[in-house]
Amino acid sequence: NAGVTQTPKFQVLKTGQSMTLQCAQDMNHEYMSWYRQDPGMGLRLIHYSVGAGITDQGEVPNGYNVSRSTTEDFPLRLLSAAPSQTSVYFCASSYRDRANSGANVLTFGAGSRLTVL
Amino acid sequence: AQTVTQSQPEMSVQEAETVTLSCTYDTSENNYYLFWYKQPPSRQMILVIRQEAYKQQNATENRFSVNFQKAAKSFSLKISDSQLGDTAMYFCAFMKHPLDSNDYKLSFGAGTTVTVRA
């Protein structure tokens, strides 16, 4: 049971380049999400998905695209990287059980540090 | 929108001593969850403790306990018998109850860096 796996762990991009941060979970979690962590600001929600084929925007979605073709995978795409997207990115997942409060705890991946020059 | 405030950017504590981290939040919701997450230098986000707003009893997990004051919108974390492995950044976070929201969004505070001295 690997939990939530993010790749790559580190990446350096030039402004305008595109890339995809990969996220995979093997826990059959319906809910998956992407956060970014910036100094002094905690983590902020970028996009989330409540199931395969369903995605929605979070707090800071501009500049990022997501898709959810399978339950296991939730990639985050940067189409044209900007220096403002330099950050640490976390993928997180959980069961989606509105009636069972104990199920709604996010499991986080190890994070991906992205630098845009 | 919910806001979470952690007013202590850094705290230092002697090994075996107790340290208390403060957290306040602003919400109009009545049902919600509160969390403390630990982020050691490895960068991994680790759940420390969770509190459900409708439960009056304060949550405890071994050496970690919270003081949840719903009316004051305060949620402090106490680390007892501090150990060197407790050195990390600690984040307070808020989540609406899933019955009231579809996004399972965690709203985080800015974090408190805790250093445990030997």
Side-chain angles (χ1 to χ4, degrees):
Chain A
N1 188 344
V4 178
T5 303
Q6 288 184 234
T7 55
K9 288 186 167 43
F10 301 93
Q11 183 71 50
V12 178
L13 290 178
K14 294 181 179 178
T15 297
Q17 287 184 318
S18 63
M19 77 156 300
T20 300
L21 296 176
Q22 301 291 346
C23 176
Q25 52 89 11
D26 60 359
M27 299 171 284
N28 203 30
H29 284 171
E30 301 97 323
Y31 177 83
M32 297 186 74
S33 57
W34 278 101
Y35 286 81
R36 60 176 288 173
Q37 181 180 14
D38 301 296
M41 299 188 72
L43 282 73
R44 292 179 293 166
L45 181 64
I46 304 172
H47 284 287
Y48 67 95
S49 169
V50 297
I54 306 169
T55 64
D56 209 342
Q57 297 181 350
E59 186 180 353
V60 288
N62 292 340
Y64 307 96
N65 283 344
V66 292
S67 60
R68 184 94 180 270
S69 57
T70 67
T71 299
E72 294 77 19
D73 300 300
F74 190 47
L76 178 72
R77 297 183 183 86
L78 287 71
L79 297 180
S80 180
S84 61
Q85 294 178 303
T86 293
S87 188
V88 178
Y89 292 85
F90 287 93
C91 181
S93 71
S94 79
Y95 290 110
R96 184 167 171 264
D97 187 339
R98 290 179 160 187
N100 180 4
S101 63
N104 307 311
V105 174
L106 289 178
T107 299
F108 283 85
S112 299
R113 180 178 292 279
L114 174 66
T115 301
V116 183
L117 303 176
Chain B
Q2 283 64 233
T3 58
V4 179
T5 302
Q6 293 179 249
S7 59
Q8 305 150 313
E10 296 180 2
M11 298 196 74
S12 180
V13 61
Q14 193 72 32
E15 196 174 9
E17 298 292 311
T18 296
V19 63
T20 299
L21 311 182
S22 65
C23 172
T24 59
Y25 57 95
D26 185 22
T27 185
S28 59
E29 303 290 329
N30 191 48
N31 293 320
Y32 48 88
Y33 300 137
L34 294 164
F35 303 84
W36 280 98
Y37 279 90
K38 169 184 177 181
Q39 187 179 45
S42 67
R43 200 170 65 198
Q44 182 71 49
M45 293 291 288
I46 302 165
L47 177 66
V48 175
I49 202 164
R50 184 180 77 138
Q51 176 80 41
E52 297 172 63
Y54 68 88
K55 290 186 176 179
Q56 292 186 340
Q57 185 173 5
N58 289 324
T60 62
E61 287 289 341
N62 300 314
R63 298 181 293 106
F64 299 88
S65 61
V66 298
N67 184 2
F68 173 48
Q69 301 290 330
K70 189 174 184 180
K73 296 181 182 175
S74 171
F75 184 59
S76 63
L77 175 70
K78 184 170 77 172
I79 306 174
S80 303
D81 185 24
S82 296
Q83 300 176 0
L84 296 177
D86 295 333
T87 292
M89 180 166 281
Y90 288 81
F91 291 98
C92 179
F94 173 102
M95 178 190 285
K96 289 183 186 178
H97 196 284
L99 287 173
D100 299 321
S101 173
N102 199 41
D103 64 13
Y104 286 56
K105 172 187 171 183
L106 280 171
S107 297
F108 285 86
T112 297
T113 299
V114 173
T115 302
V116 180
R117 307 185 309 273

